[in-house]
Amino acid sequence: MLRYSLSRIGIIILLLLSSVMGKADIVITVPPVKGDATSALKETIAEAARHKGERVIIELPKDTLHISRLNSSEQLYHISNTTSRKENPDATKHIGIWLKNLENVTIEGNGCLLLTHGEMTSVVIDSCKNIVLRNFRLDAADPSVVEIDITEKGEDYIDFYVLPTTNFEFNGDSFSFVGEGWRFGDNQRNSNHVEYAQVYYPEGGRTLRRVSPMKNYKNARLLGDRVVRMTFENEKVPVVSVGERYQMRHGIRNEACMFINRSKDIELRDIEFNFMGNFGIVGQFTDNITYENLKCCPSVGSGRTNAGFADFLQFSSCRGLIRIENCYFAGSQDDPINIHGTHLKIEEVPSPVELIIAYKHPQTFGFFPCEPGDEFIIVNSKTLNDLGKPLRVKKVKEIDEYRYSVTFENELPEEMLSVNPTDYVVENLSWIPEVLIKGNSFMSTPTRAILITTRGKSLIEDNKFYNIPMASILVADDAKSWYESGPVKDLTIRDNKFYDCKGPVIEISPEVETFDKPVHENIIIENNTFVNPGLPVIKICDSDDITIKNNIFEMSLPSSIDEIIYHKNVIDFTLQDNQIKN
């Protein structure tokens, strides 16, 4: 009887364990592919989709897989902060790996190199849940940020060497950089956007924005061994120095490196991004994103100093937790991390429960700003103070790519209706993330390192910043330029180290036109070390409940605390136990 009972209990335990553990993972292996692997990857993803939510692991070969614009999936996607309709009339993306409506899928790279050909969006994750990408390297066969070394300068000419990773050609006296399906040069653009240029200085890994050395040249010719001579009218040669490394690109963000859209629980781990073409990784209306052990930097041995066309990581109207941990960022053309929401301008008030709202920055448009059940807050565009009473969305309708009609369950506040409603903007409170940025390194960027504007609880901890030429950490919020929302309500910046960064190193500056009351609040800056920083080291404006304590300022010149910390329109301001070392 006892033996029978034990056996029966054992069977029950096994059945319970089986139900808890579920089925074993389904493994789909991508074989090595000679030539273009884009079609093979499409077939593999289609096979994973047929398993309809079961746990699937797609195993890539320990090899190089080529993915091409030529055989990509062409899909229309509008991505925040990219291009305007005028700049890029056709927003179709050319997608190498397209994950759509998938759940519980892992792409295991096994150290694979994914090599793109042509301007394209390497990966899109759209309307997916529980997706993991890990253990591979992404690079471009024809990176659209080109690099040259200035080798000689004369009275009316400059000579420069073009790195082997860049192809070029001549058309008479004109010169162009070329890749698969793209070209640009000062006299060869189909756009009126001039090239963007910056100089890389190996000492400390600094990059600074500069005017393109190719502007207004007279003619160009090949001297030999990838060395080009450009001559200029009236002996007006550009202001360059022999030995400088220039990184240059055109201005159209017509693709993105990766796009994560309307998804949930997305993880990228142990991935090396050697080149992010045309834009970085954009998360848009996505719930919970984890980036861990990413390396965004040029590949060893390539000779390149640039790894990205613009930002590395961009987050627009996400929610849940954004976690960026143990990553390395070096060689961008813009901000490594930018986290924000969007202010949409109120254009009309058709009824007491309806608004016509519009995207106002031309490079953000074409996607719904909300869905039924979301909550909006109304914000004064001049003071950036909100009216305090959320409005629940009942329905939303597209008028055109920039304008939307939104109907609410409750009536609009009288405070807004009694004045000019077009002085107000709205922010979607239902898509606001919490943020953890920990254990990362930042260098070789011409702009800021981290931009963060979110109401969610945020921690920036144990990071290292080297030679950042603008604010290493910027807390902005605006409703007149980029329209990036919103106010910070709970932010801690602690245990970080800043080396030779320009001032202000930490800047809390909402773009307020008229100060009424504080915008940002509850910010703690503690236990950080600033080595040879610019002045002021910390700048804080239009904020409340600010604590700056236990920080070390190692200054190259004698400085007072008033020079080190600037504040304006700050209420409840605490300075405690900070040290100045000369």
Side-chain angles (χ1 to χ4, degrees):
M1 185 73 174
L2 180 61
R3 184 181 303 159
Y4 173 77
S5 298
L6 286 173
S7 176
R8 189 172 182 180
I9 290 170
I11 292 171
I12 292 171
I13 291 172
L14 287 173
L15 289 172
L16 288 172
L17 286 172
S18 177
S19 65
V20 170
M21 294 174 64
K23 296 181 181 179
D25 293 343
I26 297 164
V27 178
I28 304 173
T29 302
V30 179
V33 180
K34 292 184 178 180
D36 193 343
T38 314
S39 297
L41 289 167
K42 286 183 187 179
E43 294 170 5
T44 303
I45 294 165
E47 173 63 23
R50 284 191 280 271
H51 292 282
K52 299 186 182 300
E54 295 182 81
R55 294 200 308 269
V56 174
I57 298 177
I58 296 174
E59 295 267 3
L60 303 184
K62 298 177 182 179
D63 202 348
T64 298
L65 291 179
H66 298 268
I67 54 178
S68 71
R69 177 186 172 102
L70 180 64
N71 291 313
S72 62
S73 300
E74 297 186 15
Q75 299 292 328
L76 179 64
Y77 281 106
H78 292 288
I79 303 177
S80 175
N81 297 71
T82 51
T83 58
S84 66
R85 169 61 70 193
K86 181 179 180 180
E87 290 170 328
N88 187 34
D90 183 3
T92 299
K93 302 296 179 283
H94 301 79
I95 305 162
I97 297 174
W98 186 36
L99 308 178
K100 172 78 170 178
N101 294 324
L102 297 180
E103 188 171 346
N104 301 323
V105 173
T106 295
I107 296 181
E108 170 56 63
N110 293 307
C112 175
L113 168 61
L114 295 175
L115 193 64
T116 64
H117 296 259
E119 291 182 312
M120 62 185 300
T121 300
S122 58
V123 178
V124 167
I125 302 172
D126 181 20
S127 305
C128 293
K129 183 178 180 182
N130 193 21
I131 304 295
V132 179
L133 276 59
R134 66 190 187 205
N135 298 323
F136 61 84
R137 186 161 67 91
L138 179 69
D139 204 350
D142 53 342
S144 53
V145 176
V146 302
E147 299 194 37
I148 64 172
D149 290 331
I150 306 298
T151 59
E152 189 174 330
K153 177 182 178 181
E155 290 186 357
D156 64 346
Y157 71 89
I158 61 168
D159 295 345
F160 58 83
Y161 170 77
V162 184
L163 264 65
T165 51
T166 298
N167 291 322
F168 58 91
E169 62 184 32
F170 294 86
N171 181 13
D173 289 335
S174 294
F175 172 89
S176 296
F177 299 109
V178 296
E180 293 196 29
W182 63 265
R183 71 169 55 238
F184 75 91
D186 192 60
N187 298 327
Q188 292 291 316
R189 289 299 311 284
N190 292 323
S191 162
N192 58 8
H193 280 250
V194 300
E195 289 75 36
Y196 289 80
Q198 59 191 43
V199 176
Y200 170 79
Y201 297 96
E203 304 83 8
R206 295 180 299 128
T207 51
L208 298 174
R209 291 274 174 89
R210 290 287 187 266
V211 175
S212 168
M214 294 174 56
K215 290 190 69 64
N216 304 314
Y217 69 88
K218 179 180 177 182
N219 56 56
R221 62 187 176 92
L222 183 66
L223 295 184
D225 193 24
R226 305 184 67 84
V227 176
V228 175
R229 172 164 291 181
M230 281 187 171
T231 57
F232 297 82
E233 294 280 4
N234 302 322
E235 298 183 354
K236 293 184 178 179
V237 299
V239 179
V240 299
S241 297
V242 173
E244 286 182 328
R245 166 68 60 87
Y246 270 82
Q247 308 167 354
M248 295 182 292
R249 63 177 170 90
H250 63 72
I252 306 300
R253 301 173 177 180
N254 53 331
E255 305 280 349
C257 175
M258 291 189 181
F259 181 43
I260 304 170
N261 183 54
R262 299 283 179 183
S263 296
K264 184 176 182 180
D265 299 331
I266 307 301
E267 297 184 6
L268 274 61
R269 300 177 181 273
D270 302 304
I271 302 173
E272 185 171 325
F273 294 93
N274 298 138
F275 184 71
M276 294 184 171
N278 295 78
F279 206 23
I281 306 172
V282 182
Q284 184 170 291
F285 283 101
T286 290
D287 192 340
N288 294 332
I289 299 177
T290 295
Y291 297 145
E292 188 171 357
N293 295 325
L294 304 186
K295 291 182 67 177
C296 303
C297 59
S299 59
V300 175
S302 67
R304 289 179 55 83
T305 59
N306 173 268
F309 190 97
D311 295 4
F312 280 146
L313 307 180
Q314 175 96 203
F315 304 84
S316 176
S317 298
C318 293
R319 69 183 176 194
L321 176 64
I322 292 173
R323 184 166 73 88
I324 305 167
E325 197 162 358
N326 298 325
C327 298
Y328 176 71
F329 302 102
S332 65
Q333 286 259 322
D334 216 320
D335 314 309
I337 297 175
N338 188 359
I339 301 169
H340 62 88
T342 301
H343 280 134
L344 291 97
K345 187 174 178 60
I346 296 174
E347 295 205 327
E348 298 178 38
V349 185
S351 80
V353 294
E354 183 183 1
L355 292 175
I356 305 299
I357 59 176
Y359 290 112
K360 294 307 293 183
H361 192 282
Q363 292 180 338
T364 296
F365 69 98
F367 54 91
F368 276 72
C370 60
E371 55 191 17
D374 284 355
E375 288 191 337
F376 271 144
I377 194 78
I378 294 177
V379 178
N380 186 306
S381 62
K382 296 181 179 180
T383 67
L384 296 179
N385 301 134
D386 64 57
L387 299 188
K389 184 181 179 181
L391 300 169
R392 185 176 292 275
V393 176
K394 184 176 181 180
K395 63 180 179 180
V396 56
K397 178 183 177 182
E398 182 182 54
I399 299 172
D400 56 44
E401 291 179 321
Y402 284 91
R403 298 186 301 150
Y404 295 81
S405 169
V406 181
T407 303
F408 301 98
E409 295 178 2
N410 42 337
E411 290 192 358
L412 301 170
E414 183 63 32
E415 182 179 348
M416 183 200 74
L417 296 174
S418 63
V419 294
N420 184 359
T422 60
D423 285 341
Y424 290 83
V425 294
V426 295
E427 179 185 13
N428 192 334
L429 294 180
S430 297
W431 289 91
I432 290 172
E434 295 188 342
V435 177
L436 173 64
I437 301 174
K438 183 176 181 179
N440 308 286
S441 295
F442 301 85
M443 65 187 301
S444 300
T445 177
T447 51
R448 288 96 8 190
I450 298 172
L451 279 73
I452 180 168
T453 48
T454 175
R455 299 169 187 256
K457 184 179 180 64
S458 301
L459 174 61
I460 300 174
E461 180 179 45
D462 194 28
N463 303 282
K464 293 182 175 64
F465 302 82
Y466 301 89
N467 283 300
I468 307 300
M470 298 184 188
S472 297
I473 299 173
L474 173 63
V475 178
D477 189 14
D478 80 275
K480 59 183 179 182
S481 54
W482 280 95
Y483 289 84
E484 293 181 356
S485 64
V488 161
K489 298 297 184 182
D490 188 342
L491 170 63
T492 299
I493 302 171
R494 72 182 180 210
D495 296 326
N496 302 284
K497 292 182 171 60
F498 303 86
Y499 299 94
D500 299 295
C501 296
K502 299 297 183 184
V505 180
I506 296 175
E507 181 173 1
I508 317 295
S509 294
E511 296 183 27
V512 171
E513 185 176 325
T514 304
F515 178 75
D516 181 19
K517 57 185 178 181
V519 176
H520 301 305
E521 63 184 33
N522 190 18
I523 298 174
I524 300 173
I525 301 172
E526 64 179 352
N527 301 327
N528 302 285
T529 300
F530 303 85
V531 179
N532 193 32
L535 292 174
V537 182
I538 299 174
K539 176 182 177 181
I540 302 179
C541 301
D542 310 319
S543 300
D544 186 16
D545 191 13
I546 305 298
T547 300
I548 302 175
K549 65 180 182 180
N550 298 325
N551 299 284
I552 297 174
F553 302 94
E554 298 185 7
M555 311 300 296
S556 58
L557 295 173
S559 303
S560 68
I561 197 69
D562 290 335
E563 294 174 300
I564 289 172
I565 299 173
Y566 171 87
H567 56 98
K568 178 183 178 183
N569 296 331
V570 177
I571 300 171
D572 193 6
F573 182 63
T574 301
L575 287 176
Q576 180 181 331
D577 298 330
N578 297 289
Q579 298 181 52
I580 302 174
K581 297 181 179 181
N582 293 322

